[in-house]
Amino acid sequence: MNKNIMTFDEWAILGKDEGMERGHHKSVEHMFKMILEKNYKNYTALDLGCGNGWVVRKFKDYSLCDDAHGLDGANHMIKKAQKLDPQGTYFNENIESWNPIQKYDIIFSMETLYYFKKPEKIINKIYNDGLNEKGLFIMGIDHYAENFESLDWGTKFNLDITTLSITEWVGLFKQIGFNDVQFTQVESKENWKGTLIIKGTKFLRPINYFEKL
């Protein structure tokens, strides 16, 4: 078990997941508003790094969502999610070694992607293996280079963290192939730069048959 998964597993045991839910609630509301703007109907969703499953349950409360699943590496987080949502579908897997068994219309991630040494590998996997065509990937993160108040979190919370700038995060989305990439910062105050939200849509490039000639 890697360092980050061990830390979050311990936080689940200590009940800190409930504080994480409260702390991220307003930012997630902004993310859901952005999702609703896409006018998806009868869609499927996956929360990558779902914790106790609160965002999965939120997706399932929307009548336009056919089904929502959650995935998290911390065993006790998944146990809590299953206890709170016995009929739900939750996967206890390390996101780095995760191999999607189906594709989704929306993949959502809040406060997860910077816990990986090479987040571009996860985003690439989302694009190629996790999303349907015209699918949406939307992520929210509080730790990024411009948010100075977050830069000591690795030491403070015993976590391995990758620190990228807004430009670098947006660049990863574009390099991997996402279209209509947009970003915003929400819930900022005083020295806190807020949650960075980035979204992109998967559109496969049409085959140009003249390229084969």
Side-chain angles (χ1 to χ4, degrees):
M1 187 183 294
N2 70 34
K3 181 179 181 180
N4 293 345
I5 291 176
M6 288 178 65
T7 297
F8 286 115
D9 209 48
E10 180 180 332
W11 286 7
I13 294 169
L14 296 173
K16 290 186 177 182
D17 56 296
E18 296 170 9
M20 293 164 67
E21 178 180 342
R22 290 191 298 271
H24 298 150
H25 175 77
K26 289 184 179 180
S27 295
V28 167
E29 285 294 327
H30 287 281
M31 295 170 76
F32 266 76
K33 287 179 182 177
M34 295 169 74
I35 291 169
L36 290 173
E37 291 171 0
K38 301 292 288 186
N39 294 315
Y40 286 107
K41 295 180 180 178
N42 307 117
Y43 63 83
T44 55
L46 173 70
D47 182 11
L48 203 60
C50 67
N52 68 15
W54 68 281
V55 171
V56 175
R57 298 191 296 276
K58 187 176 180 67
F59 267 117
K60 290 165 71 173
D61 284 340
Y62 280 79
S63 61
L64 296 179
C65 179
D66 270 358
D67 199 10
H69 300 164
L71 185 147
D72 201 288
N75 181 50
H76 284 89
M77 288 289 188
I78 291 297
K79 284 184 176 179
K80 281 201 168 186
Q82 291 170 330
K83 184 177 180 179
L84 292 165
D85 181 18
Q87 304 304 315
T89 301
Y90 296 93
F91 305 103
N92 183 200
E93 292 187 43
N94 185 327
I95 294 172
E96 286 184 297
S97 56
W98 161 62
N99 290 309
I101 59 175
Q102 73 173 79
K103 292 188 176 182
Y104 298 87
D105 300 309
I106 297 171
I107 294 183
F108 178 104
S109 181
M110 179 64 190
E111 280 292 84
T112 300
L113 268 291
Y114 59 80
Y115 293 123
F116 303 100
K117 290 183 179 178
K118 295 187 176 180
E120 64 272 17
K121 288 189 173 182
I122 310 300
I123 299 172
N124 186 64
K125 188 185 301 186
I126 289 167
Y127 184 90
N128 288 299
D129 303 323
L131 277 177
N132 290 319
E133 187 176 359
K134 298 183 181 179
L136 174 74
F137 174 46
I138 183 167
M139 77 165 198
I141 53 171
D142 288 342
H143 175 83
Y144 51 97
E146 291 83 354
N147 195 13
F148 304 116
E149 292 290 310
S150 73
L151 297 184
D152 64 347
W153 284 1
T155 303
K156 187 176 181 179
F157 298 118
N158 189 36
L159 295 164
D160 288 326
I161 288 177
T162 295
T163 305
L164 300 179
S165 68
I166 295 173
T167 299
E168 288 171 321
W169 279 112
V170 171
L172 289 183
F173 272 64
K174 292 181 178 179
Q175 290 165 22
I176 286 162
F178 280 100
N179 287 270
D180 192 25
V181 177
Q182 299 176 27
F183 74 92
T184 187
Q185 290 164 270
V186 300
E187 298 300 321
S188 60
K189 55 184 178 181
E190 297 178 0
N191 296 326
W192 179 256
K193 299 297 183 180
T195 298
L196 171 64
I197 300 173
I198 309 176
K199 67 174 183 176
T201 305
K202 175 181 177 178
F203 286 111
L204 297 179
R205 186 168 69 91
I207 295 172
N208 184 344
Y209 289 97
F210 291 102
E211 292 179 359
K212 295 183 176 181
L213 299 177

